Amino acid sequence: MNILVCYKIVPDEQDIVVKPDQTLSFDRAELKIGQYDLNAVEAGVQLVEAAGGAVTALTVGGAEVDNSKMKKSILSRGPGSNLAVKDDSLAGADSATTAKALAAAVKKAGEWDLILCGEGSSDLYSQQVGVQLGELLGVPTLNGVSAITPGDGCVTVERTLEDEVETLEVRLPAVLSVTADINVTRVPSMKEILGAGKKPSTILGSGDVELPAGRAVETTSLLAPAQAQRKCVLVEGDSDDKIAEFCRAIRTELQ
Amino acid sequence: MKLSKILVFSELASALPELCSGANTLAEETVAVVLGPRSAAEQTAQYASAVLWLGEQAEGSMVEDYVPALAELAAEQAPDLILIRSTRRGKCVAGRLAVRLNAGVCSDAASIEAVDAHTAVVRHMVYGGAATAADQIKTAAGIALVGSGVFDAQPLPAPGSVQDMPKAPAANGVVCKAVNRKEDESVDLGAAKRVVSAGRGVGSKENLAILEALAKKIGAEMACSRPIAEGEHWMAKNRYVGVSGAMIKPDVYIACGISGQIQHLVGINGAKTVIAINKDKNAPIFNACDYGIVGDLNKVVPALTELL
């Protein structure tokens, strides 16, 4: 089975700094691969390890997709090759624009049976790109997939919804978005990290694929939410006296 | 400023009163689309001036199989905005509809406003709760996914009309073999007054018992951080608190062994008092709590259970 796994390179939200005017600074933010996308990568790699085939990693975005550390990072997790579409118009794009760009990139990715996406990107988390990509490609598409078993020309999936779990047979080719708990992602070994540098990676641009014009959604402001003011009364240490002191402090709150 | 027309859909009849009431405040005209028993359509007419009833869901079909029918109706109705309850199934329906209608989608809306008769701005959290984005939908039709509690259900002075609009499902390469109800006990963390919550610092599933003893003593619900529910599976997913889980507003929240990632903190922003127990003095939770103790929770929690 040939599998494409989609991923997004995002700023590490731990490094985002809120400025005094409530706007955000990404200046010190390191890049990372979206944490939910890693579950899609792992699911793809596990399927190929069990049933044979190849996994290709696929991303679209701005300059970040050409970051050599990110290329190594994605390839160290098991995909045999990496394909990226780089264009300034794709940086910070909405889900519809991203899905259209991915659909264009898929046409350059050769034969495929299954495309896997994560539950949502870890920056915007719209949880839309996977289903939109499937619909754009005109193939069966589902979200919430929490287990995948390969079959003959199809896969059987378990889909976890709020109150129920469905068992579904999905005809291939298909696009599936997997849940964050479908698997535990692996930590690449030193050998895998070193080997990643030798795997092929292709960067395409607007001259190679037809990119969407304009955006469906435009972000007009991005501000940190007002955080609740807290007292921050701290007791340091867990001796009996300290615990008693802490207990006195919180007891009034629990009356 | 109001939009001209909003179309409302949810596979959950129970979500329609809130969504329709929200639509009534945002638009001149609300049209609800109902799939299911006729009684659900009639019930929905208490909240929407017009209800289009697609009929009962066909045996063996999935709600998603009605996406082509919904797209057809939406094209006829030409709404400025479509509101859908943000369940997983709702998100799947929204994504597929978006492609068919060339519509921009905004997920997990916290608020919606009309900036002119045909354009909506949707606010929602991004970057794991670190920011709120205001997104303007640029396409002719837009879709907003809305969770529970964003709008209040408010019946109309007089019920609207119900129009029969029977539609057939169209399967798309997916066959449903079985549906099992989840066995997780239901829990309404949003309504809990006191919550004791477990993070990775608890160390093991067995160790949850000391937290449960404290929760029992003070009459609290048990909750957890995302890794406890999704990585470790020590607790059910409906008990995790955070931007993608439950957003709660208890009087007292006791965070045990929770470091305090922003995604988690956003979920407890509405708590009156936050109490933290953590052995790491540098844990971010200590900057976001009212009372904190730097110490071993294995010692502190049983002692509190005894003393409180």
Side-chain angles (χ1 to χ4, degrees):
Chain A
M1 185 163 8
N2 287 329
I3 300 176
L4 307 178
V5 292
C6 301
Y7 70 101
K8 184 175 185 182
I9 297 169
V10 298
D12 192 330
E13 64 274 11
Q14 299 304 317
D15 303 331
I16 297 173
V17 178
V18 178
K19 295 193 278 191
D21 63 354
Q22 299 288 106
T23 59
L24 306 185
S25 166
F26 296 87
D27 295 349
R28 282 193 275 158
E30 295 278 335
L31 294 174
K32 67 169 189 179
I33 293 165
Q35 64 186 97
Y36 309 121
D37 302 339
L38 296 179
N39 297 107
V41 174
E42 180 66 33
V45 171
Q46 284 185 10
L47 278 171
V48 162
E49 281 172 354
V55 176
T56 300
L58 185 65
T59 191
V60 301
E64 69 277 5
V65 304
D66 209 359
N67 180 298
S68 63
K69 201 174 146 200
M70 289 297 108
K71 282 190 259 184
K72 261 192 192 161
S73 177
I74 191 74
L75 289 170
S76 68
R77 292 164 199 274
S81 61
N82 179 49
L83 177 64
V85 176
K86 182 174 86 165
D87 192 80
D88 287 344
S89 71
L90 298 173
D94 65 285
S95 56
T97 307
T98 302
K100 284 175 187 167
L102 279 169
V106 164
K107 298 197 172 78
K108 300 284 177 179
E111 295 283 316
W112 56 274
D113 304 293
L114 182 63
I115 298 178
L116 297 175
C117 296
E119 180 174 298
S121 61
S122 43
D123 53 355
L124 306 182
Y125 199 62
S126 71
Q127 305 152 77
Q128 280 292 306
V129 169
V131 275
Q132 292 190 23
L133 176 60
E135 192 74 6
L136 282 165
L137 295 170
V139 300
T141 187
L142 288 170
N143 58 355
V145 171
S146 48
I148 306 172
T149 311
D152 186 14
C154 66
V155 288
T156 300
V157 307
E158 177 191 282
R159 183 188 193 212
T160 303
L161 302 172
E162 283 74 9
D163 297 321
E164 58 196 15
V165 179
E166 297 175 328
T167 305
L168 307 166
E169 196 177 277
V170 186
R171 189 187 67 217
L172 296 179
V175 179
L176 303 176
S177 302
V178 303
T179 60
D181 59 357
I182 187 171
N183 51 40
V184 177
T185 58
R186 67 187 76 185
V187 177
S189 67
M190 188 50 75
K191 193 176 163 214
E192 285 165 327
I193 293 167
L194 291 172
K198 301 189 185 78
K199 291 179 178 176
S201 179
T202 309
I203 308 288
L204 302 176
S206 55
D208 307 300
V209 294
E210 196 180 333
L211 293 177
R215 288 192 179 173
V217 171
E218 210 58 83
T219 298
T220 55
S221 86
L222 187 64
L223 295 172
Q227 290 292 323
Q229 291 296 311
R230 300 287 179 199
K231 297 192 191 91
C232 297
V233 177
L234 211 56
V235 172
E236 289 187 45
D238 54 15
S239 65
D240 292 348
D241 287 350
K242 291 287 185 187
I243 293 174
E245 180 191 339
F246 181 63
C247 192
R248 278 193 298 277
I250 67 172
R251 184 170 282 143
T252 51
E253 303 293 338
L254 289 162
Q255 294 298 308
Chain B
M1 181 59 70
K2 279 192 167 191
L3 298 172
S4 295
K5 190 194 269 191
I6 291 182
L7 197 71
V8 172
F9 175 76
S10 176
E11 78 279 9
L12 297 175
S14 60
L16 291 169
E18 275 187 27
L19 291 177
C20 291
S21 301
N24 292 337
T25 65
L26 288 166
E28 301 291 348
E29 191 184 353
T30 300
V31 179
V33 182
V34 176
L35 175 67
R38 187 167 172 102
S39 59
E42 279 159 11
Q43 185 61 32
T44 304
Q46 306 286 327
Y47 301 88
S49 54
V51 175
L52 305 178
W53 183 48
L54 303 186
E56 297 262 6
Q57 190 180 335
E59 187 94 14
S61 72
M62 293 172 70
V63 171
E64 286 84 344
D65 298 341
Y66 288 84
V67 164
L70 286 169
E72 205 179 293
L73 269 184
E76 283 163 23
Q77 293 285 330
D80 304 302
L81 188 65
I82 301 173
L83 298 183
I84 298 177
R85 170 57 69 83
S86 64
T87 57
R88 275 226 168 108
R89 206 188 286 287
K91 284 167 184 164
C92 187
V93 168
R96 293 185 54 199
L97 264 184
V99 170
R100 285 168 184 259
L101 301 171
N102 188 32
V105 183
C106 293
S107 297
D108 299 318
S111 70
I112 302 174
E113 65 176 313
V115 289
D116 63 45
H118 302 291
T119 311
V121 168
V122 178
R123 286 188 164 73
H124 65 112
M125 276 185 190
V126 293
Y127 298 107
T132 300
D135 281 351
Q136 183 165 343
I137 296 172
K138 309 295 277 187
T139 47
I143 300 176
L145 287 150
V146 183
S148 71
V150 173
F151 300 123
D152 291 325
Q154 185 76 46
L156 293 172
S161 62
V162 177
Q163 193 184 340
D164 288 6
M165 194 70 81
K167 296 280 181 188
N172 180 33
V174 178
V175 181
C176 186
K177 297 289 190 186
V179 179
N180 291 304
R181 299 291 301 175
K182 272 197 201 169
E183 283 171 15
D184 294 349
E185 50 177 334
S186 70
V187 52
D188 188 0
L189 286 179
K193 291 290 173 205
R194 293 174 175 185
V195 173
V196 172
S197 194
R200 274 200 202 275
V202 168
S204 70
K205 187 173 182 184
E206 292 65 41
N207 223 11
L208 287 172
I210 61 170
L211 272 59
E212 282 160 2
L214 174 62
K216 194 170 171 205
K217 180 76 180 283
I218 63 169
E221 275 289 357
M222 286 288 289
C224 61
S225 63
R226 187 166 186 169
I228 299 304
E230 288 203 333
E232 306 289 357
H233 299 282
W234 295 344
M235 287 174 71
K237 273 175 71 172
N238 56 9
R239 286 190 187 266
Y240 90 72
V241 171
V243 68
S244 54
M247 305 280 276
I248 64 173
K249 40 184 191 297
D251 292 337
V252 178
Y253 184 79
I254 307 182
C256 306
I258 290 176
S259 64
Q261 306 277 329
I262 182 75
Q263 294 92 325
H264 186 79
L265 295 180
V266 167
I268 57 170
N269 216 4
K272 277 206 194 97
T273 301
V274 174
I275 296 168
I277 303 162
N278 203 299
K279 66 177 185 228
D280 176 9
K281 190 186 173 216
N282 297 317
I285 190 82
F286 287 130
N287 295 320
C289 71
D290 294 288
Y291 303 96
I293 181 165
V294 183
D296 181 358
L297 66 87
N298 292 298
K299 198 172 167 206
V300 175
V301 174
L304 288 181
T305 307
E306 181 142 353
L307 292 170
L308 284 170

